[in-house]
Amino acid sequence: MNCLNKISLILCFIALNFSCKEKTTTERKEEITTEKKWWKEAVVYQIYPRSFKDSDGDGIGDLKGIISKLDYIKGLGIDAVWLNPIFESPNKDNGYDISDYQNIMKQFGTMQDFDSLLKGFKDRGIKVMLDMVLNHCSSEHKWFKDASSSRKSPYYNYFHWWPAEKGEPPYRFSIFDEKGYGWEFNKPTNSYYLHYFGDFQPDLNWENPQLRQDIYKMMRYWCDKGVDGFRMDALAFISKDTTWPPLPKEYSGNWTLYYASGPHLHDYIQEMNREVLSKYDLATVAEAMGDIPRVKKFVDEDRKELNMAYNFEAIDFGYLPGEYKMPDPNGYDFVKWKSIYAKWDSAFTGKGWGTMYLGNHDQPRMLTRWGNDAPEFRDYSSKLLTTFILSMRATPYYYYGDEIGMSNIKFDKVEQYNDVELLTNYEQVKAKGGDLKRFLEGMKISSRDNGRSPMQWDTTVNGGFSKGKPWLPSNENYKTINAAQQEIDTNSFLNYFRKMIKLRKENDVLIYGKFTLLDKENPDVFAYTREFNDQKFLVLLNFKNKIATANTGIDLGKAKVLINNYSLASTDGSLKPYEAIIYKL
Ligand code: TEU
């Protein structure tokens, strides 16, 4: 072989080898992640303890209240619960302002109650996830009380300060501040402290290793007690650029994206993984705001950080730009919304894992926001949303009360609200001379208190939630919409929810199966397939209050209906208002 031939052979070999490698990488990229984990297979039920069940008549839900409902929770068929913060707190943001991470909020009970609750869940095979608020604490926390007394305090560096002698601090936004200003002046230290949320929620200084060690120790305390996971509040915001440069232009107005871009964010999460998470078999889910590339970093297994991330893009969809949670009067672009779900599914194709939810304590009731709470559609649309949540390729997080079709309470007056977010936003609109009537109308759809009204157990006073005056009124519709009534009705939402959970559990394809969006441009129907091994399911969801048709090109002649929210399912793709069907193909 002459020299030229030799070279071309080598080149050819390199090219071949390269193209093979290329192919494997592409193939690997397309392969869906099927590594089994309990937290991928679990259905998580979120309990807002303040509103679930009050055992002592003070109008506030408590741990003993949850204990009294353990069998109800078990009976749902769920696998894990996420409890919103249960730690000691002055409750200016209902527990998201923690004053002692290792004690139970007095209104909720004692540590002994918590231990009994944990045991009660464990005895029933239910895992327990706690809500860790690590970006900030309460201004009543002993760290802050000490830190704010003197610059010499050993805790001064547990927080972010701007000494007043340097003049005004560089602008930072605050979401729960009437003036939208993230620095608050503190006289004893003659300095300003940073608060991305309310001024009663000072941001913790994660750049300080001592603070981080204290946090990890506290987390290990709960893990050693036996908790199974954490929902990590506002975790994307923990790292800050402490040279405090002016806000970069590219983020102006998009404060969540800016706050989610701290320089050492992932160093700290990886450290937390080494120091705490890797030592236990935990489920961890991050409030990881930001775009997909940012969010993926939290959950890429190779990076050794967390397990799951929320999809904020879909839940925050349909609001008017530049206004806080003001629903677009023309509704939302359904085709775009579907594409967001498809995009977030493919973001976690090969690596990471997502979550699926349509409601939580920061959201209005899913029935009002994404379904239809009018009497004629309440039943169908509630079941449709449940079918959607439980048939996607992500861990479902299902909010208490949605299983019985609770809807928005729709307050008329600002005085009826409790939520700090609503109240500060109201003041902001007022200060700008905005249209308060319009604001309050919008909030009937989107405000957080809509999702926080007490659980509707039965037809007794306050829906059986409390014998006292509830901290937030019960929705008057408890007289017809309640768990007791739905328990006896075999066709109720509650029983549909149980049926849908069973279907998911019995069919791996609904957990691990590849998701493919079909009939993308259909303005009414959400259609997709799920495929795993030799199984293929088709999901058809008519999100509109009129008859619609799915054009999937799939012959339904031989398809088997696995679940349907009407008594008879069609075989030609036509769907009744809010009809939901899952077929086995
Ligand atoms: O919310 C994080 C957050 O950034 C909020 O903007 C949230 O998205 C907003 O309230 C939606 O309307 C978490 C908690 O879930 C929330 O309840 C707390 O109030 C907040 O952190 C502060 O801890």
Side-chain angles (χ1 to χ4, degrees), residues 435-447:
D435 184 344
L436 290 169
K437 204 166 156 242
R438 176 176 168 271
F439 173 79
L440 288 175
E441 273 311 301
M443 292 303 111
K444 285 185 184 175
I445 303 292
S446 63
S447 94

Side-chain angles (χ1 to χ4, degrees), residues 8 102 130 280 302 328 394 418 477:
S8 54
Q102 283 176 227
L130 296 185
Y280 310 84
D302 297 344
D328 189 329
N418 167 283
N477 66 17

Side-chain angles (χ1 to χ4, degrees), residues 46 48 82 84-85 93-97 131 133-136 175-176 197-198 200-201 231-235 237 255-256 287 289 312 315-316 319 324-325 360-364 419-421 425 446-448 452:
Q46 182 191 346
Y48 196 63
W82 149 27
N84 287 96
D93 185 17
N94 292 351
Y96 285 92
D97 45 334
D131 206 322
V133 188
L134 304 176
N135 175 67
H136 47 270
I175 173 175
F176 296 161
F197 293 88
F200 55 89
Q201 290 164 308
R231 177 260 185 194
M232 310 258 190
D233 187 74
L235 192 71
F237 303 162
W255 59 272
T256 39
E287 267 211 313
M289 289 83 170
F312 279 97
I315 203 86
D316 288 336
Y319 294 131
Y324 201 73
K325 284 176 138 182
N360 65 30
H361 66 291
D362 286 338
Q363 300 298 330
D419 177 24
V420 60
E421 176 175 278
N425 278 287
S446 63
S447 94
R448 307 201 294 185
R452 297 178 178 183

Side-chain angles (χ1 to χ4, degrees), residues 142-173:
K142 65 174 190 233
W143 293 340
F144 189 75
K145 280 197 189 161
D146 204 278
S148 58
S149 68
S150 153
R151 286 192 193 181
K152 291 204 181 87
S153 156
Y155 294 106
Y156 187 72
N157 282 327
Y158 273 42
F159 298 90
H160 292 291
W161 298 96
W162 180 269
E165 59 271 20
K166 284 169 75 177
E168 283 277 305
Y171 173 75
R172 288 295 179 273
F173 177 72

Side-chain angles (χ1 to χ4, degrees), residues 207-440:
E207 318 305 318
N208 178 350
Q210 185 58 47
L211 173 276
R212 300 203 299 274
Q213 287 307 323
D214 279 357
I215 295 276
Y216 303 149
K217 199 168 147 206
M218 173 277 289
M219 291 174 82
R220 285 192 295 264
Y221 166 84
W222 289 105
C223 293
D224 291 338
K225 258 189 183 294
V227 309
D228 304 284
F230 299 115
R231 177 260 185 194
M232 310 258 190
D233 187 74
L235 192 71
F237 303 162
I238 57 174
S239 171
K240 278 99 182 171
D241 182 346
T242 50
T243 63
W244 307 115
L247 283 189
K249 274 203 186 67
E250 68 263 33
Y251 296 124
S252 82
N254 195 345
W255 59 272
T256 39
L257 199 57
Y258 171 67
Y259 287 174
S261 308
H264 299 294
L265 170 62
H266 294 283
D267 299 334
Y268 300 153
I269 302 177
Q270 283 165 14
E271 183 182 73
M272 180 198 287
N273 185 295
R274 285 193 303 274
E275 301 267 338
V276 188
L277 311 178
S278 61
K279 300 182 193 299
Y280 310 84
D281 181 19
L282 300 175
T284 47
V285 53
E287 267 211 313
M289 289 83 170
D291 48 15
I292 285 181
R294 277 182 178 75
V295 173
K296 275 180 83 167
K297 285 188 168 177
F298 287 80
V299 293
D300 174 342
E301 296 86 354
D302 297 344
R303 298 173 55 85
K304 299 201 176 354
E305 298 190 16
L306 307 174
N307 307 146
M308 294 171 265
Y310 293 111
N311 168 354
F312 279 97
E313 194 179 349
I315 203 86
D316 288 336
F317 193 68
Y319 294 131
L320 290 172
E323 287 188 79
Y324 201 73
K325 284 176 138 182
M326 187 54 76
D328 189 329
N330 300 316
Y332 66 101
D333 180 343
F334 181 64
V335 170
K336 178 89 198 292
W337 194 61
K338 290 193 291 185
S339 74
I340 294 174
Y341 279 103
K343 186 174 76 180
W344 279 79
D345 176 83
S346 60
F348 304 127
T349 301
K351 296 217 172 119
W353 193 253
T355 58
M356 180 64 204
Y357 67 105
L358 291 174
N360 65 30
H361 66 291
D362 286 338
Q363 300 298 330
R365 281 286 164 191
M366 71 171 188
L367 175 62
T368 308
R369 178 87 181 98
W370 304 108
N372 190 328
D373 60 12
E376 66 274 35
F377 297 124
R378 171 183 280 279
D379 179 279
Y380 297 115
S381 67
S382 217
K383 290 173 179 168
L384 166 114
L385 299 175
T386 294
T387 315
F388 180 39
I389 295 178
L390 290 161
S391 63
M392 292 290 280
R393 195 181 67 89
T395 296
Y397 283 74
Y398 202 92
Y399 192 48
Y400 86 93
D402 284 347
E403 76 276 21
I404 55 164
M406 280 173 64
S407 50
N408 277 10
I409 191 157
K410 302 182 185 168
F411 290 136
D412 289 311
K413 300 189 198 111
V414 68
E415 295 76 28
Q416 292 171 292
Y417 284 97
N418 167 283
D419 177 24
V420 60
E421 176 175 278
L422 178 294
L423 298 174
T424 38
N425 278 287
Y426 180 86
E427 289 306 324
Q428 285 176 11
V429 176
K430 195 168 154 189
K432 284 187 207 138
D435 184 344
L436 290 169
K437 204 166 156 242
R438 176 176 168 271
F439 173 79
L440 288 175

